[in-house]
Amino acid sequence: MSLLIIGGTGTLGRQIVLQALTKGYKVRCVVRNFRKANFLKEWGAELVYGDLSIPETIPPCLQGISAVIDASTSRASDFDGLKTVDWYGKLALIDAAKAADIQRFVFCSAQNADQFSNIPLMEMKEGIENKLKQSKIPYTVFRLTGFYQGLIEQYAIPILEN
């Protein structure tokens, strides 16, 4: 099985890459900056250029891939980037995965995303979960706690204020 991992340079993503390589999977990582991601190559992953904010870069990344693991997210403090990456970029990723006949799509969402639609990132995470379900691609959604991203400003503070 060949895996395409998006977000492989992040805190969570790098652990996924390392575990997948340790288990013997062929791993390809979508990266925007080859120099910053060089450690993934040193571990044994293949690096391929792709950027969720540039949707046309995604389909070539999926050639020869059987499963996608999306552990990416943008900075919660950058709303324009958030919408570009976590909404439009992920919609393009799902469309490209469907066109490539991907056998499994694993999406790293956020715990309680359905309970906090007033928080833009949470609304987008839940929306992507729904789009993934509608896509008919076999999928798994992990609703993780916010340990792997800086959500204090956008997630924790609004919850505490309510």
Side-chain angles (χ1 to χ4, degrees), residues 1-8 13-31 40 44-48 58 60-71 93 97 102-107 138 140 142:
M1 177 174 281
S2 55
L3 305 176
L4 180 71
I5 300 177
I6 298 98
R14 69 183 59 206
Q15 297 305 316
I16 294 169
V17 171
L18 187 57
Q19 289 302 311
L21 288 167
T22 300
K23 301 285 186 205
Y25 290 100
K26 179 182 174 198
V27 175
R28 181 182 300 160
C29 296
V30 174
V31 300
L40 298 171
E46 175 190 354
L47 304 183
V48 62
I58 301 305
C61 299
L62 292 161
Q63 292 176 354
I65 295 295
S66 42
V68 170
I69 301 175
D70 179 12
L93 178 61
I102 294 300
Q103 297 168 14
R104 172 68 53 183
F105 193 114
V106 178
F107 176 56
T140 302
F142 288 110

Side-chain angles (χ1 to χ4, degrees), residues 94 125-135 143:
I94 291 169
K125 293 278 189 191
E126 183 186 20
I128 292 301
E129 289 180 24
N130 292 330
K131 294 293 185 180
L132 190 54
K133 290 173 192 172
Q134 294 166 10
S135 76
R143 284 190 161 184

Side-chain angles (χ1 to χ4, degrees), residues 52 68 70-73 82-95 105-110 113-114 120-137 139-143:
L52 289 174
V68 170
D70 179 12
S72 68
T73 196
L82 188 70
K83 191 153 189 150
T84 299
V85 171
D86 284 276
W87 183 249
Y88 296 117
K90 291 181 188 273
L91 291 177
L93 178 61
I94 291 169
D95 288 344
F105 193 114
V106 178
F107 176 56
C108 297
S109 187
D114 56 334
L121 179 60
M122 300 299 267
E123 180 182 30
M124 288 178 220
K125 293 278 189 191
E126 183 186 20
I128 292 301
E129 289 180 24
N130 292 330
K131 294 293 185 180
L132 190 54
K133 290 173 192 172
Q134 294 166 10
S135 76
K136 305 294 185 207
I137 300 169
Y139 69 91
T140 302
V141 172
F142 288 110
R143 284 190 161 184

Side-chain angles (χ1 to χ4, degrees), residues 28-44:
R28 181 182 300 160
C29 296
V30 174
V31 300
R32 292 173 294 172
N33 183 321
F34 286 96
R35 192 177 49 206
K36 278 179 139 178
N38 193 54
F39 70 96
L40 298 171
K41 185 176 181 181
E42 290 173 0
W43 290 353

